[in-house]
Amino acid sequence: MTARLADIAAQAGVSEATVSRVLNGKPGVAAATRQSVLAALDVLGYERPVRLRQRSAGLVGLITPELENPIFPALAQVIGQALTRQGYTPVLATQTPGGSTEDELTEMLVDRGVSGIIFVSGLHADTTADMGRYDQLRAQGVPFVLVDGFSPKVRAPFISPDDRAATRLAVTHLVSLGHTRIGLALGPKRFVPVQRKIEGFVRTMRDQLALTPDAIESELVEHSLYTLEGGQAAASALLDRGCTAVVCASDMMALGAIRAARQRGLEVPDDVSVVGFDDSPLIAFTDPPLTTVRKPVPAMGQAAVRTLLEEIGGTPAPHSEFVFLPELVVRGSTASAPGGRTRP
């Protein structure tokens, strides 16, 4: 204990007696000095005595669909850190196939008295889902914010990336490289982000390549699952139709598209260009490094927390959608269209 006191005193720049007074909750220590001692405890990895720990301002639930796609842990980390800085304790609840549903997780969090809930890519994004569940939650007096997906039927703040802009950025980049046969691989059509990505894709392909919307949707759009295997299946279908470039609705799907190309003996990017979406952690280190549309995760996560805390504090944000612009990150998985390159 004496050695520990000496360590803390040295770190805080105070006497061991002062450290002892702080740890024992004795009066007569300046607030700044007390804070220095507590900070020294944290830096040295010692636990604060229970009575000196900051009281939690409350629990906040965060419900995500899964954690296998690295974009969800990345968003959870941003939201968790922002909540912690404001004195709240984040509670992460993850749906699992055949396990807990969004409704069950919501009920569990409400039973535990959470101050609010942030839903990420939940049923609010599914155009076939019953939105009455969110009305019931509001009737219970639980503030909530919805991330990724929009419904005009739900009176709540929404936080979204601009999905139309995402596909516009990807297509414009590929057209500038000489690609004219560009495919889009994404998830099931009932989800709002999917519908918006298709809208951006069709409009840009029509404007830049003079294709008809019917031809684009029937030949160049392929629905699958948001997984590596889903991307592989969708890309295989698009390659069968002569696509020299594939835009994917997630980085995981893009890795599947690269696998599909390689299984055919095609090189990425020499024969096929691939663009992802998210800019998930570590995606810059794939082979080749993935060109992707970066989802503005830090800005979206912080906005979700700020908006929820306003709801909790009794000054609710407008019941509207806050849309954040994505950014194209060009790396090694895109290159000039095969027919447009000059050989040395």
Side-chain angles (χ1 to χ4, degrees):
M1 182 63 190
T2 306
R4 191 188 307 175
L5 283 177
D7 290 343
I8 299 166
Q11 178 69 31
V14 299
S15 68
E16 290 182 35
T18 299
V19 172
S20 180
R21 293 185 72 81
V22 172
L23 296 183
N24 289 303
K26 298 286 179 63
V29 180
T33 304
R34 186 179 301 276
Q35 201 53 48
S36 296
V37 172
L38 294 176
L41 281 175
D42 297 339
V43 168
L44 295 172
Y46 294 126
E47 282 196 26
R48 295 187 182 193
V50 174
R51 65 179 170 278
L52 296 180
R53 291 177 196 165
Q54 187 178 20
R55 277 187 57 79
S56 169
L59 304 176
V60 168
L62 172 61
I63 300 180
T64 65
E66 46 140 329
L67 292 177
E68 289 183 5
N69 185 331
I71 199 64
F72 292 123
L75 189 55
Q77 183 174 22
V78 170
I79 290 172
Q81 289 174 342
L83 286 169
T84 302
R85 281 196 296 271
Q86 297 298 323
Y88 286 84
T89 302
V91 180
L92 180 61
T94 306
Q95 299 173 57
T96 51
S100 299
T101 64
E102 179 181 310
D103 290 340
E104 289 167 345
L105 293 174
T106 301
E107 185 179 353
M108 176 269 291
L109 291 169
V110 172
D111 287 347
R112 281 160 177 73
V114 292
S115 301
I117 301 176
I118 297 174
F119 295 87
V120 177
S121 297
L123 290 167
H124 63 276
D126 187 339
T127 56
T128 65
D130 177 12
M131 297 297 155
R133 53 176 47 85
Y134 300 110
D135 293 333
Q136 292 172 14
L137 187 60
R138 182 164 295 286
Q140 290 175 283
V142 181
F144 60 92
V145 172
L146 303 157
V147 180
D148 271 344
F150 175 77
S151 172
K153 300 173 184 174
V154 181
R155 291 182 62 253
F158 289 84
I159 309 289
S160 304
D162 190 332
D163 290 296
R164 297 181 186 93
T167 43
R168 184 176 69 243
L169 287 167
V171 170
T172 301
H173 169 62
L174 292 167
V175 170
S176 75
L177 293 172
H179 293 273
T180 57
R181 193 73 177 165
I182 302 167
L184 176 65
L186 29 58
K189 193 169 183 177
R190 68 180 188 274
F191 294 107
V192 172
V194 170
Q195 295 172 4
R196 289 177 170 182
K197 285 185 174 76
I198 292 173
E199 288 172 18
F201 180 75
V202 169
R203 189 176 304 156
T204 310
M205 292 286 282
R206 183 196 64 201
D207 293 348
Q208 301 204 13
L209 298 173
L211 299 174
T212 65
D214 287 346
I216 297 166
E217 285 218 47
S218 62
E219 297 176 31
L220 301 177
V221 175
E222 191 67 26
H223 296 278
S224 188
L225 300 176
Y226 280 112
T227 60
L228 192 146
E229 293 78 13
Q232 183 177 350
S236 290
L238 293 167
L239 292 173
D240 284 342
R241 296 176 206 148
C243 290
T244 62
V246 180
V247 177
C248 298
S250 78
D251 291 335
M252 296 297 284
M253 292 187 83
L255 296 181
I258 293 172
R259 181 195 279 181
R262 286 179 173 160
Q263 281 187 337
R264 294 162 181 251
L266 300 174
E267 292 291 326
V268 177
D270 291 348
D271 302 310
V272 179
S273 287
V274 176
V275 180
F277 176 73
D278 282 338
D279 197 27
S280 316
L282 302 181
I283 214 67
F285 306 102
T286 56
D287 178 27
L290 189 67
T291 294
T292 190
V293 179
R294 177 179 292 156
K295 192 173 186 174
V297 166
M300 288 176 60
Q302 289 160 13
V305 170
R306 190 166 57 247
T307 306
L308 182 70
L309 296 189
E310 286 173 357
E311 294 265 323
I312 292 171
T315 54
H319 294 127
S320 60
E321 185 178 24
F322 301 93
V323 179
F324 292 78
L325 275 175
E327 170 191 1
L328 179 71
V329 182
V330 179
R331 297 194 182 104
S333 65
T334 50
S336 300
R341 276 195 296 274
T342 55
R343 299 289 179 186

